[in-house]
Amino acid sequence: MEGISVILEAMSLQTAALTLIVTALLSYFLGNCNGAILISKIFLHDDVRKHGSGNGGLTNFQRTYGGNKLTLMVIATDMLKMVAAVALSWAIFTVVMPLEKPPLFVKYWAGMFCVLGHVFPCTLHFHGGKGILAGGTLALLVDWRVAVFAWGFFFLGVVLTRWVSLGSILAATAFGVSSAIFHPTPSIAVPALLAAGLIDWKHRANLLRLLRGQEPKLSLRKKAEP
């Protein structure tokens, strides 16, 4: 078994609820560590949200400042915070639960709140990124089959069209659907679909521009200043 029922059977309701709340808050605040915003402020004394699409994410960072070492730092920050959220939550449940290892649900639980923290960070006035890199990292952590579907659709969309937004929408959708297929337990399928839906919802403006043929395509160069 890999759902929340394992936790409820191994722990009292009060202990389970407290542990779930603690790991949710921990994961959410780790999600607040937005790579694009932090790197732009610390190293460039700027805010990436003041440029381009106004989004605090990797794509807008790259389009604004160009592909460089700082871009790699943004990627590392957003990936490592998801790794930290999942690892710490897993460790907490390992200590609290009288079992050999926690169920897979714990990873999805932590991942969902980390994505939420990235998209709506309370420490950054709830104006964050779109969560695709954090979500892609979660896919790598939960199941290699889910990762193949999510990253496969992302690269397929980007390589064929050069639209990062289209690849992101396809990847998020593939993550949610494949998680529900490979792990049909409701307590896993629901967080996965919620995280995927949140990422897709954050791309709604991109989807409208795609339908209108107005979405900019991927470029490795910094956008020229007017």
Side-chain angles (χ1 to χ4, degrees), residues 177-202:
V177 172
S178 61
S179 292
I181 291 174
F182 294 125
H183 306 284
T185 304
S187 59
I188 288 181
V190 171
L193 291 170
L194 285 175
L198 179 59
I199 294 172
D200 281 344
W201 180 78
K202 285 291 291 184

Side-chain angles (χ1 to χ4, degrees), residues 13 17 19 34 73 84 91 95 105 113 118 129 133 139 149 193 199 217 223:
L13 182 59
T19 309
N34 184 295
M73 293 178 67
V95 171
F105 160 77
F113 279 97
H118 179 87
L133 189 55
F149 271 88
L193 291 170
I199 294 172
K217 294 194 173 185
K223 184 176 179 181

Side-chain angles (χ1 to χ4, degrees), residues 13-165:
L13 182 59
Q14 294 82 355
T15 303
L18 179 60
T19 309
L20 288 170
I21 291 172
V22 169
T23 51
L25 290 174
L26 173 66
S27 300
Y28 173 80
F29 281 105
L30 281 170
N32 277 229
C33 300
N34 184 295
I37 298 174
L38 290 176
I39 299 302
S40 65
K41 286 187 174 183
I42 294 173
F43 292 95
L44 300 171
H45 307 292
D46 195 9
D47 189 335
V48 66
R49 294 172 294 179
K50 296 179 181 179
H51 306 278
S53 65
N55 180 58
L58 174 65
T59 301
N60 194 41
F61 185 95
Q62 186 275 326
R63 285 175 177 163
T64 301
Y65 305 114
N68 50 41
K69 293 180 179 179
L70 294 182
T71 300
L72 295 178
M73 293 178 67
V74 172
I75 295 173
T77 300
D78 285 345
M79 293 187 74
L80 288 175
K81 73 183 181 185
M82 177 60 76
V83 173
V86 170
L88 289 174
S89 297
W90 189 266
I92 290 172
F93 271 96
T94 299
V95 171
V96 174
M97 288 181 63
L99 295 174
E100 182 178 352
K101 67 176 183 179
L104 181 63
F105 160 77
V106 171
K107 293 184 178 181
Y108 277 95
W109 175 259
M112 178 182 67
F113 279 97
C114 187
V115 170
L116 183 64
H118 179 87
V119 174
F120 295 117
C122 65
T123 58
L124 297 168
H125 307 292
F126 299 98
H127 186 189
K130 296 181 180 179
I132 189 63
L133 189 55
T137 305
L138 177 61
L140 294 171
L141 296 173
V142 294
D143 188 327
W144 68 267
R145 297 169 298 178
V146 173
V148 167
F149 271 88
W151 284 94
F153 273 96
F154 174 77
F155 286 116
L156 184 65
V158 174
V159 170
L160 293 181
T161 68
R162 286 176 53 214
W163 280 321
V164 176
S165 57

